[in-house]
Amino acid sequence: MHLTRRNFVLSTSALALGACFCPVALGKPRRLDEILDWNPLTEHTKAVINIALGGNTMIIANGGESLMIDAKFPYLGPVLYEDAASAGGSVSLVNTHHHGDHTGGNNAFVGKGKTFAHENAIEKIRNQIGNYRSGAEASVGQAVQNLKNNPRVLELSQQVAENAGQLSADDFVPESTLDQGDTIPVGDLIVDIHHFGAGHTDNDLVIHLKNENILHTGDLVFNGTHPFYDPSAGVTAKGWINSLNKMLELCDDDTIVVPGHGPVSGKDIIENMRSYHEQLIDNVQAEIDKGTSKEDTQQMSWPFMDGLQFEQIKGRAVGAVYDELSAE
Ligand SMILES: [Zn+2]
């Protein structure tokens, strides 16, 4: 039986209410040999949903193969690789985009199996080697901060820190590129890859497992937080809205949507993200029309921004949209 979104929401709300947690209700039981806390989502998918651990990662496992979607931070790369290998023997990796909280663990995968990203991600990943190295050096502290009760994470983070000095850019760069309409087979399952143009970055990939009605959006969707705006990555609010509209065409009322950050939900979180960007554009345009400076506009807040996490990145979003609209 495939888990429908309604079952999932029902199960997680039962959990929130303090009901007995029964993993079977979430699809299939959690494996005891897993290092991280994987949430089973559908028959062949599971994800780590923990805002402290970087971008949400998902494994699609079938027929002795597993595909890892995103690789979090350097200290978690080998941990993710071990969990992917135990889910399905031969392990591949796809990056939803180049940001370091989605590619920091790439080196645990590159050279071992197939690795993929969008063409525009390749140079950006290569240029992040300094961040990957300093992230690797800080591994033990990060492991202690976030997963101090997990002995295997602590052990592997020690190894990552010891090897930090030897890391080179090539260790992190995926070997193959993907674009709109490409597919990746995982056993006899076909995974559809979409790239709808620039949005969160100029290299966003959306991962769709049509058979199980589940969509991993990468950072085109932030659920419960402000979205991260990175002008150096080619972010565009209008392109972002276009990508969200294209993603909604892939969804129905039962689609399970795994965002880049925040909890799993349905297509409502894609609609919420679209609404955020639409209101951001409208409000910033109104300030530009009034002659308000960029700096003053960045100090503003509007009701649609209330109650979201990552408050510290709000001003970046306002500033980037101000620049985008001013350039027209
Ligand atoms: Zn990102």
Side-chain angles (χ1 to χ4, degrees), residues 96-102 200-201 204 218-220 222 228 261:
T96 59
H97 62 298
H98 72 281
H99 279 148
D101 54 334
H102 300 258
H200 172 66
T201 68
D204 301 321
D219 279 0
L220 285 165
F222 286 73
F228 180 58
H261 298 268

Side-chain angles (χ1 to χ4, degrees), residues 13 47 118 164 198 218 271 287:
S13 51
H118 187 270
E271 291 162 346
E287 295 308 319

Side-chain angles (χ1 to χ4, degrees), residues 111-269:
K112 291 188 187 154
K114 293 178 189 147
T115 48
F116 306 94
H118 187 270
E119 186 180 7
N120 294 341
I122 300 298
E123 272 314 293
K124 292 184 174 76
I125 290 173
R126 187 175 294 285
N127 291 336
Q128 290 179 150
I129 180 61
N131 293 340
Y132 297 139
R133 263 197 215 115
S134 52
E137 284 162 6
S139 282
V140 175
Q142 290 175 352
V144 169
Q145 185 181 335
N146 295 315
L147 293 161
K148 65 174 184 297
N149 297 321
N150 192 318
R152 187 63 181 147
V153 171
L154 296 175
E155 187 181 353
L156 289 170
S157 70
Q158 185 79 44
Q159 293 172 20
V160 171
E162 282 164 11
N163 295 327
Q166 280 103 60
L167 293 173
S168 76
D170 286 341
D171 298 332
F172 291 85
V173 177
E175 285 154 358
S176 307
T177 60
L178 293 170
D179 210 336
Q180 171 58 29
D182 285 339
T183 58
I184 303 175
V186 182
D188 59 1
L189 287 173
I190 299 296
V191 179
D192 291 321
I193 305 298
H194 294 281
H195 170 70
F196 301 122
H200 172 66
T201 68
D202 67 359
N203 59 85
D204 301 321
L205 295 179
V206 170
I207 318 299
H208 188 205
L209 182 55
K210 220 183 298 176
N211 295 45
E212 300 190 1
N213 203 6
I214 182 165
L215 193 69
H216 192 301
T217 69
D219 279 0
L220 285 165
V221 177
F222 286 73
N223 182 16
T225 77
H226 292 280
F228 180 58
Y229 266 71
D230 177 4
S232 74
V235 63
T236 143
K238 292 189 172 175
W240 200 323
I241 290 170
N242 174 62
S243 293
L244 294 166
N245 282 328
K246 293 279 200 286
M247 280 158 55
L248 284 168
E249 290 172 15
L250 303 173
C251 295
D252 63 25
D253 289 344
D254 286 327
T255 304
I256 297 173
V257 179
V258 182
H261 298 268
V264 174
S265 188
K267 68 173 182 175
D268 54 302
I269 61 175

